[in-house]
Amino acid sequence: MEITVDCAKDCVNGCVLGEKCPHREHAAEASQFIKETSLDKMLEMAEAARLKKLTEPPKWVIPDDF
């Protein structure tokens, strides 16, 4: 029997699956990024992403039931 876990809800305080977590590779990559990247560099990356989003044209979403 396979247990279904909603990581966004169930793992708020830490992974509940431990070694069986299918996202362990991503967690390792994130930990490595945090270790190797200074906070100033992270803030610089976030500001660049924010400015890029501000300069993008608006995206119109038309509902299907219109």
Side-chain angles (χ1 to χ4, degrees):
M1 183 173 120
E2 188 175 321
I3 299 172
T4 304
V5 175
D6 181 357
C7 294
K9 292 180 183 176
D10 300 332
C11 301
V12 173
N13 295 319
C15 183
V16 297
L17 294 177
E19 294 294 317
K20 296 179 183 177
C21 179
H23 304 290
R24 287 182 65 218
E25 178 183 332
H26 300 294
E29 289 174 11
S31 293
Q32 191 67 23
F33 174 79
I34 291 169
K35 282 185 211 173
E36 295 177 353
T37 309
S38 71
L39 181 57
D40 289 335
K41 181 66 178 171
M42 286 186 216
L43 291 172
E44 186 180 305
M45 293 166 70
E47 181 64 13
R50 186 183 75 84
L51 291 174
K52 181 181 175 187
K53 185 141 180 100
L54 284 175
T55 59
E56 288 179 355
K59 294 178 182 161
W60 297 94
V61 178
I62 300 173
D64 293 335
D65 59 350
F66 180 66

